Amino acid sequence: MGSALPLGEPVPADGSLPPGTRVDPATDFGVYLHVPFCRVRCGYCDFNTYTSSELRGTRQDQYADTLLGEIGLAARVLAGSGGNRPASTVFFGGGTPTLLPPGDLARMLGGVRDAFGIATGAEVTVEANPDTVSPAVAAELAAAGVTRLSIGMQSTVPHVLAALDRTHDPANVRTAVAAARGAGLDVSVDLIYGAPGESLDDWRASLEEAVALQPDHISAYALIIEEGTKLARQIRRGEVPAPDDDLQADMYELADDLLAGAGFDWYEVSNWSRGVAHRSRHNLAYWTGSDWWGFGPGAHSHIGGVRFWNVKHPAAYTQRVAAGESPAAGREIPDAAARALEGVLLRTRIRDGLPIEELLGEGRHAVAALIADGLIEGPAALRGRVVLTRRGRLLADAVVRALTE
């Protein structure tokens, strides 16, 4: 059901921001809508998601109405702070948003439109399990204003999907992509590599199938073993092997080579797109520190330098919203040092890089050594910024340590 929430200061019942918070209306505003429902729990998943047997105290068929209540509260908070502005991106994540009827997702998007407005040309993404997408579903989402479908492919190899506890039919990925294309939607597919028993040839097969689908965007994430998951317990008991770091590095290099050869450009360590226009603008907002409000149980928000997060369980979330209270469990205002560290952690991951002038003195001194080690691009390519080479992307954690210690 996800990792523990961070500690923080309490949030007033009306959800108001701390006194003196300055919200810049010129800053892009993103909206994240969390749908915490899944048919089954995947063995590797650490997200805040729930199966039907775990939903005591709340109902899936009433979820859209509950979330609309939080949207109304947020609109009042932002209007009072002068920070109410149209959403430039909207992202339905989960869980499996497409477990809800398309009409519910449309009502939620309509709530965002009514409360804040949606900017012209906004990117509106829905994550989807391949088994839940039909031409009718895709058409209804497109009619509601959705522009992009992000399809959880993960792998095309049955034994890899089984190792991840993924239950979708691999053949339905093609069906889902075709449905999205038929509705005029952009398409992204998500992959995971490094599952127990997955070989380099298995991974190549998944990459080749993903490219053959001709999506606009591909995400490829290394499997991370999170404490508390079924997969972590299996590894601890010796039932399955732990991910092999060297093999995962080989898999990353294969992905980068194969995707580049197919016309995809990397723009974030784990993300490739067919040109700038198809980058995920919503996720880039996280990496560059824009404002966003996360709606739903366990969702996190960042408004005017204030970070806050909601209670995790849908029942607790529903109870607070029904009472007209903020569902936020806590908040914090990171100091300058924490923000500088966060900037390095996030902005070094993206193709545009991090301005060297934003590094503290010790970090600036590390730049020359990182160039010599082939971890960041040389002076001619830097343009005054820290930009990772492919080797640097593989060793991103080491780069961050060098720039912050």
Side-chain angles (χ1 to χ4, degrees):
M1 299 178 199
S3 55
L5 290 170
L7 299 175
E9 299 177 355
V11 177
D14 64 2
S16 57
L17 298 171
T21 301
R22 296 180 180 178
V23 181
D24 183 357
T27 299
D28 282 347
F29 175 56
V31 170
Y32 174 75
L33 303 168
H34 187 61
V35 179
F37 310 121
C38 284
R39 286 198 177 120
V40 298
R41 180 175 304 285
C42 298
Y44 63 90
C45 182
D46 187 43
F47 295 159
N48 190 44
T49 62
Y50 300 82
T51 61
S52 58
S53 65
E54 299 166 333
L55 284 178
R56 296 177 300 276
T58 189
R59 287 175 48 180
Q60 187 170 312
D61 61 353
Q62 296 176 348
Y63 183 72
D65 290 328
T66 301
L67 190 135
L68 288 170
E70 187 189 359
I71 289 176
L73 179 144
R76 294 190 292 273
V77 169
L78 291 177
S81 67
N84 211 341
R85 66 220 117 134
S88 53
T89 63
V90 181
F91 195 101
F92 289 83
T96 309
T98 46
L99 279 183
L100 293 181
D104 282 5
L105 301 181
R107 286 199 299 120
M108 292 156 68
L109 185 57
V112 173
R113 186 179 291 110
D114 293 342
F116 313 112
I118 295 178
T120 302
E123 174 193 272
V124 182
T125 302
V126 173
E127 287 187 334
N129 181 300
D131 289 346
T132 62
V133 180
S134 66
V137 166
E140 193 167 346
L141 292 176
V146 173
T147 65
R148 184 173 179 270
L149 209 62
S150 180
I151 299 170
M153 176 179 174
Q154 316 312 351
S155 174
T156 193
V157 180
H159 78 83
V160 175
L161 290 172
L164 295 170
D165 285 333
R166 298 290 295 187
T167 59
H168 70 263
D169 182 344
N172 284 345
V173 176
R174 282 186 172 271
T175 303
V177 170
R181 290 298 194 202
L185 300 175
D186 275 13
V187 173
S188 176
V189 295
D190 289 352
L191 300 171
I192 293 178
Y193 59 91
E198 183 177 30
S199 69
L200 197 60
D201 285 341
D202 291 333
W203 177 232
R204 182 186 296 277
S206 293
L207 287 167
E208 290 176 344
E209 173 64 13
V211 168
L213 294 170
Q214 298 184 322
D216 306 292
H217 182 281
I218 294 177
S219 298
Y221 298 105
L223 177 65
I224 297 174
I225 307 303
E226 302 287 359
E227 281 302 317
T229 61
K230 173 185 173 183
L231 189 53
R233 293 191 293 272
Q234 289 175 314
I235 291 172
R236 189 165 55 248
R237 293 193 296 259
E239 296 171 2
V240 298
D244 183 308
D245 291 343
D246 291 337
L247 178 57
Q248 284 192 332
D250 290 342
M251 289 175 164
Y252 184 86
E253 292 185 329
L254 176 60
D256 200 40
D257 285 338
L258 197 152
L259 295 177
F264 291 87
D265 297 322
W266 84 272
Y267 71 94
E268 191 275 339
V269 167
S270 300
N271 289 273
W272 291 258
S273 68
R274 291 191 185 276
V276 174
H278 294 296
R279 293 177 179 180
S280 170
R281 285 189 276 142
H282 186 83
N283 285 340
L284 279 171
Y286 297 150
W287 295 316
T288 56
S290 293
D291 283 353
W292 72 88
W293 195 300
F295 296 93
H300 287 236
S301 304
H302 173 249
I303 301 292
V306 182
R307 299 193 179 280
F308 48 99
W309 46 91
N310 286 347
V311 292
K312 288 181 59 176
H313 197 279
Y317 172 80
T318 298
Q319 197 171 43
R320 291 205 186 187
V321 174
E325 298 179 356
S326 167
R331 71 185 180 196
E332 64 181 7
I333 304 177
D335 59 22
R339 289 199 166 275
L341 173 60
E342 184 178 85
V344 175
L345 284 168
L346 296 178
R347 296 182 68 183
T348 52
R349 292 183 62 88
I350 60 177
R351 183 70 173 259
D352 294 340
L354 171 74
I356 292 175
E357 64 187 23
E358 294 185 14
L359 295 170
L360 299 178
E362 296 80 357
R364 294 186 192 183
H365 296 153
V367 168
L370 291 170
I371 292 172
D373 289 341
L375 298 176
I376 63 177
E377 294 183 4
L382 277 174
R383 308 181 312 282
R385 308 177 79 86
V386 173
V387 179
L388 297 177
T389 63
R390 185 164 78 179
R391 183 166 181 266
R393 283 181 267 153
L394 282 167
L395 299 172
D397 290 345
V399 174
V400 168
R401 285 196 299 272
L403 293 173
T404 55
E405 289 180 350

